[in-house]
Amino acid sequence: MSTDENVARVRYKAFISYSHRDSAVARWLHRALETYRVPPHLIGRTTAAGTVERRLGALFRDRDELPVAADLTGQINEALKATQFLIVLCSTASARSKWVNQEVVNFKRLKGAGSIIAVIVDGEPYASNMPGREAEECFVPALRFQVAADGSLTDTPAEPIAADLRPGKDGKRLVKLKVLAGLLGVGLDELVQRETQRRQRFMAAVTFASLAGVATMGALTFNAIEARNEAETKREQAEGLVEYMLSDLGERLQAVGRLDVLDSLSSRTLEYYARQKPEDLDSDALGRRARALILLGKIEDKRGDPDAAFAAFTDAHETTGERLARDPRNPNLIFDHAQSIYWIGYVHSQQRQFSKAASFFEQYSELAKSLVAARPENRAWQNEVGYAETNLGVMLYRSGRFHEAEAAFKKANLAHREVSLSDPNNTVWQTDLGRTLAWLADTHRALGDLSMARQERLAEIAIYDELVRREPRNVQFLQPLLVSQRMLGAVLLESGEPENAISALRNAERLADRLVSIEPSNTAWAELQGRTKLDLAESLLYAGEPLKSRAVLTEAETITARLVALRPGFTRWQVSLRARAEILRCEPALRDHPPASALRSIGTLIDDLEKFRREDNQNMDLIMALAQANLARGDLSHELLNAAERDVSWKTAVTLLESNQTTDNMRALYLAKAYWRLGRTAEHIAMVETLTRQGLKHPATAEFLKDSSVARSGS
């Protein structure tokens, strides 16, 4: 029997099986499919689904099509026999429906699995295989497993074809086109790229109308209808492509680190929506606009432009707020609004505006808690609570409140660990766990617990090594791996192991060079590259390799000069790169110029840092850099026998360090060094004893630790 003969016996093109909780989605899909006009160039083509007609034909929407009768099961089976395809709306509700499961079983027994199309509404496919997430399952058993000839389920897994309506996935337009492609037996691209065929149909119709001598009013009416249809078709095509760009294509571009293409993608999307009135955009369109704005904000942040990033995130916040106002109880819209709130808080936090950041992070935390309260079984929303605790911890950490930060990060770590264990293959959740380990390691390092910091960095590196092993071309895993290797190097140096520190930092350097070669315009990666080389230059110096140290320092200075020239007023680059490079260059073994020249350079640096301090006098990183610069200026003045400037510089360093009330062990190290320089022996010895108890063995302490021992023995 031919395909056409088989199709000719069916009454319905498709049977839509769903739970009553998903009635609204079923009605939308039914209407969207039945009103779809097949592109002219496809009509008459013979495909695996039969000969393509102008319209799809009738669709059976389960119980809505049935008359009042006693034998509903029998009539449903009759409808299944007369149906070519089965469309199953998959959700946590339908996964528990015995009716939906039986309809899938009966259809498989009658027609086989090849004509079943799944549409995911909510939940998670195969969650029943994930310990602790069973309630999120969206596939009925008959979809997950093959069915025997007698209708019984086997233990052989099945892999249904699925479109995905969940937030951040295919979206309505693309779901509709994917389902249509399956029903027609054609490729998805042929439906998405159909504007040309529509135009040809329009021109043919106009020509026919002219030849037939249609009256002027009739022709105008016809043209208006066709223009409306053309506009609708063009809008559907554009929004389908937008959804693809923001989801599948966007994820792939982020994975390969193409900021330039991502920027173009985001900008084109926003240009498309800028031509439309916000009030005319439906919820899906507003969602796509918000995602494009957040993507743009992330790109601007990576390029080192926090003002542009903030503007994009603020616009996204207004968009998600408008969307939520239309449907305030929709948890998916609450989730999307929480994301835009987070990113505004993130920019404030990066700029050390902690009070402003706190207000947004508190809103974010409340929304996360409301999501978990509404759906406690939803692992993704449980993960949001972990993010909220991390945000709080970061602000506490950057305020120098390390013990409070540690408590917050431990809560975040527990939340992310529970979620990540439920699905070890979820790379996002594994990355989130790695991020909380990183913050815990930084906090324990600041508190002087170097042993714990080392353990946490090694555990974090193991996570990223595994992710890179799975997806070696995904650059999104390389940046956190680079940072974790770099910070492990810092912990090892402070533990008195410069050789091991060099090994970790060489790994970080290779990763940094690779990332920058992929995307040279990514200033965030360039900054990491510069910081890594400065760390490496310092470790090489303490390992007794000044020539290698000077070579790496020169590379770091080249990177620093390029970045600072791009944005001279950007405080972070001035502190993390320029100040650190110039202070390191003051070391006798690394100088390119005599002490007098070095003294002038460090004086200019201090003047510039003081200007930044007047604009931001709460920036602890800036204060630490100023203290180190003053220590260096004092040492250079001492070499030049300028006692007055020497003592003023060292005393300034002490004042700055004492004003920083954090318990950071590196702050304590430099304060002990300044006390030693000024001959404040008792304070110096007390500080050294504290550092010794904490296990700090940084090579920079060797000289004055020895001096402390002599001072104690002579006292």
Side-chain angles (χ1 to χ4, degrees):
M1 181 182 297
S2 70
T3 301
D4 285 348
E5 289 172 337
N6 184 46
V7 172
R9 296 187 177 188
V10 303
R11 177 182 173 190
Y12 300 105
K13 185 68 175 179
F15 180 116
I16 303 177
S17 178
Y18 62 99
S19 162
H20 281 302
R21 200 192 74 178
D22 302 320
S23 297
V25 178
R27 287 194 297 272
W28 162 76
L29 185 61
H30 190 165
R31 183 168 59 253
L33 297 178
E34 281 202 329
T35 58
Y36 180 75
R37 296 190 309 149
V38 176
H41 74 285
L42 295 178
I43 297 172
R45 180 189 297 183
T46 299
T47 70
T51 301
V52 178
E53 303 291 343
R54 184 178 298 274
R55 296 281 184 180
L56 282 178
L59 301 172
F60 184 95
R61 195 169 78 239
D62 199 346
R63 301 152 194 88
D64 289 0
E65 303 288 342
L66 296 175
V68 177
D71 186 15
L72 290 178
T73 303
Q75 293 192 47
I76 287 175
N77 285 337
E78 287 302 314
L80 286 170
K81 289 179 183 178
T83 298
Q84 185 181 1
F85 288 92
L86 177 68
I87 300 172
V88 186
L89 299 189
C90 303
S91 66
T92 54
S94 68
R96 296 189 292 269
S97 169
K98 66 176 183 179
W99 290 101
V100 174
N101 189 66
Q102 192 58 50
E103 286 163 1
V104 176
V105 168
N106 291 349
F107 189 84
K108 280 189 172 183
R109 184 170 53 82
L110 293 167
K111 304 291 180 75
S115 297
I116 296 178
I117 301 171
V119 176
I120 302 173
V121 177
D122 64 32
E124 184 69 26
Y126 304 107
S128 53
N129 298 330
M130 305 173 189
R133 299 186 62 190
E134 293 83 357
E136 297 178 49
E137 180 61 68
C138 66
F139 284 165
V140 293
L143 277 178
R144 301 197 305 271
F145 298 98
Q146 295 182 16
V147 174
D150 61 358
S152 62
L153 284 182
T154 70
D155 58 1
T156 304
E159 296 182 0
I161 299 172
D164 202 334
L165 269 174
R166 292 176 296 175
K169 301 295 183 179
D170 293 336
K172 281 188 173 181
R173 297 295 188 278
L174 201 55
V175 164
K176 182 182 79 171
L177 294 177
K178 284 185 175 182
V179 172
L180 285 165
L183 298 179
L184 295 172
V186 300
L188 176 61
D189 289 347
E190 292 192 80
L191 300 185
V192 174
Q193 304 290 345
R194 66 181 192 171
E195 182 179 3
T196 302
Q197 290 78 7
R198 284 292 190 188
R199 288 176 178 172
Q200 290 174 347
R201 182 181 177 189
F202 172 74
M203 294 306 298
V206 171
T207 302
F208 174 79
S210 300
L211 292 174
V214 178
T216 302
M217 185 58 69
L220 290 173
T221 301
F222 175 83
N223 288 344
I225 292 172
E226 283 296 315
R228 182 196 65 194
N229 291 339
E230 279 296 303
E232 177 65 19
T233 298
K234 191 172 183 178
R235 185 178 66 83
E236 289 180 1
Q237 177 192 16
E239 294 193 351
L241 288 171
V242 166
E243 188 64 46
Y244 167 71
M245 289 191 295
L246 289 176
S247 54
D248 294 352
L249 181 59
E251 289 176 7
R252 292 171 187 167
L253 289 172
Q254 289 185 70
V256 297
R258 291 302 305 271
L259 280 186
D260 53 343
V261 185
L262 277 168
D263 191 10
S264 175
L265 180 157
S266 177
S267 299
R268 285 177 177 271
T269 300
L270 294 173
E271 286 172 8
Y272 169 72
Y273 285 118
R275 293 193 293 268
Q276 305 176 49
K277 297 179 180 179
E279 59 269 21
D280 293 339
L281 298 177
D282 62 18
S283 182
D284 288 342
L286 285 174
R288 283 187 288 271
R289 183 178 187 274
R291 293 206 301 280
L293 285 163
I294 288 176
L295 176 60
L296 179 61
K298 291 179 183 179
I299 293 167
E300 297 297 353
D301 178 63
K302 288 181 178 179
R303 285 182 171 159
D305 192 342
D307 294 334
F310 182 77
F313 293 143
T314 301
D315 201 351
H317 175 256
E318 293 175 357
T319 302
T320 56
E322 166 64 24
R323 195 180 182 209
L324 183 59
R326 298 181 186 181
D327 190 1
R329 295 186 178 180
N330 188 320
N332 293 321
L333 303 189
I334 293 173
F335 176 87
D336 289 345
H337 191 49
Q339 307 313 300
S340 60
I341 287 174
Y342 162 77
W343 283 108
I344 295 178
Y346 164 83
V347 175
H348 284 312
S349 178
Q350 289 294 103
Q351 295 179 323
R352 308 188 71 85
Q353 298 171 340
F354 295 129
S355 59
K356 292 182 179 179
S359 66
F360 285 96
F361 286 157
E362 285 166 5
Q363 294 177 56
Y364 175 79
S365 179
E366 289 304 313
L367 291 177
K369 291 174 183 176
S370 72
L371 288 171
V372 173
R375 293 278 296 280
E377 76 284 357
N378 189 310
R379 295 292 190 185
W381 291 348
Q382 290 175 25
N383 218 36
E384 291 298 303
V385 175
Y387 292 144
E389 290 292 344
T390 299
N391 296 336
L392 173 62
V394 171
M395 286 193 298
L396 292 167
Y397 176 90
R398 288 180 174 160
S399 300
R401 296 156 64 184
F402 298 124
H403 287 289
E404 295 171 80
E406 178 188 24
F409 290 139
K410 283 183 176 179
K411 290 179 183 177
N413 183 259
L414 285 174
H416 287 312
R417 185 173 298 280
E418 181 181 352
V419 173
S420 66
L421 288 174
S422 69
D423 184 5
N425 294 319
N426 188 313
T427 57
V428 173
W429 293 352
Q430 298 302 317
T431 304
D432 293 338
L433 177 60
R435 189 175 294 113
T436 59
L437 286 168
W439 280 112
L440 275 170
D442 280 349
T443 304
H444 285 134
R445 178 189 169 205
L447 290 170
D449 191 346
L450 297 178
S451 175
M452 183 60 73
R454 180 190 301 213
Q455 291 178 40
E456 286 156 347
R457 282 296 175 187
L458 290 172
E460 180 199 7
I461 288 169
I463 290 173
Y464 296 135
D465 278 340
E466 173 59 20
L467 293 175
V468 171
R469 186 193 64 78
R470 291 187 207 168
E471 301 181 34
R473 296 184 180 179
N474 192 333
V475 300
Q476 294 184 91
F477 305 141
L478 297 183
Q479 177 173 332
L481 179 57
L482 153 62
V483 173
S484 59
Q485 289 280 7
R486 174 177 166 253
M487 300 313 293
L488 175 62
V491 171
L492 292 169
L493 186 63
E494 290 171 26
S495 300
E497 304 175 31
E499 294 295 344
N500 289 333
I502 290 169
S503 177
L505 290 168
R506 286 294 188 193
N507 290 335
E509 182 186 38
R510 283 190 288 272
L511 290 166
D513 292 347
R514 177 180 171 188
L515 286 173
V516 172
S517 70
I518 292 171
E519 184 55 73
S521 66
N522 189 324
T523 55
W525 288 350
E527 180 184 0
L528 280 173
Q529 184 188 38
R531 287 190 180 206
T532 301
K533 290 182 185 293
L534 287 169
D535 291 341
L536 181 57
E538 183 180 20
S539 294
L540 287 165
L541 174 65
Y542 290 127
E545 299 189 58
L547 293 179
K548 291 182 179 179
S549 178
R550 290 181 70 176
V552 175
L553 178 57
T554 300
E555 293 178 24
E557 287 170 329
T558 300
I559 296 166
T560 297
R562 180 173 67 84
L563 287 175
V564 170
L566 285 174
R567 294 188 59 210
F570 192 29
T571 308
R572 193 175 76 223
W573 291 346
Q574 292 283 350
V575 172
S576 67
L577 296 173
R578 178 194 166 195
R580 202 158 158 233
E582 292 196 29
I583 292 167
L584 193 55
R585 184 63 78 175
C586 288
E587 293 289 339
L590 300 181
R591 288 182 203 157
D592 287 330
H593 305 290
S597 178
L599 181 63
R600 286 193 294 274
S601 295
I602 206 72
T604 301
L605 171 66
I606 290 173
D607 290 342
D608 290 343
L609 292 180
E610 285 290 359
K611 293 176 185 176
F612 289 115
R613 187 186 174 203
R614 285 194 288 272
E615 298 172 2
D616 182 8
N617 62 4
Q618 299 300 312
N619 189 328
M620 293 299 107
D621 293 334
L622 177 56
I623 291 173
M624 179 65 79
L626 264 170
Q628 290 175 270
N630 274 284
L631 273 173
R633 180 165 65 179
D635 290 349
L636 288 165
S637 299
H638 180 70
E639 284 187 50
L640 295 168
L641 304 178
N642 187 338
E645 186 170 7
R646 174 198 67 191
D647 291 345
V648 168
S649 297
W650 287 344
K651 287 177 182 178
T652 300
V654 168
T655 301
L656 289 166
L657 291 166
E658 288 181 337
S659 71
N660 182 345
Q661 295 302 310
T662 68
T663 56
D664 187 334
N665 59 7
M666 293 306 293
R667 171 253 183 189
L669 184 152
Y670 286 108
L671 186 54
K673 186 176 182 179
Y675 286 151
W676 178 53
R677 293 284 200 270
L678 289 168
R680 294 167 60 171
T681 306
E683 294 160 296
H684 164 61
I685 290 175
M687 191 69 70
V688 167
E689 287 175 344
T690 300
L691 293 172
T692 302
R693 283 196 303 271
Q694 293 178 340
L696 184 70
K697 299 177 183 177
H698 195 292
T701 67
E703 184 180 1
F704 68 82
L705 280 176
K706 180 180 178 182
D707 183 75
S708 300
S709 177
V710 173
R712 281 197 300 272
S713 65
S715 62

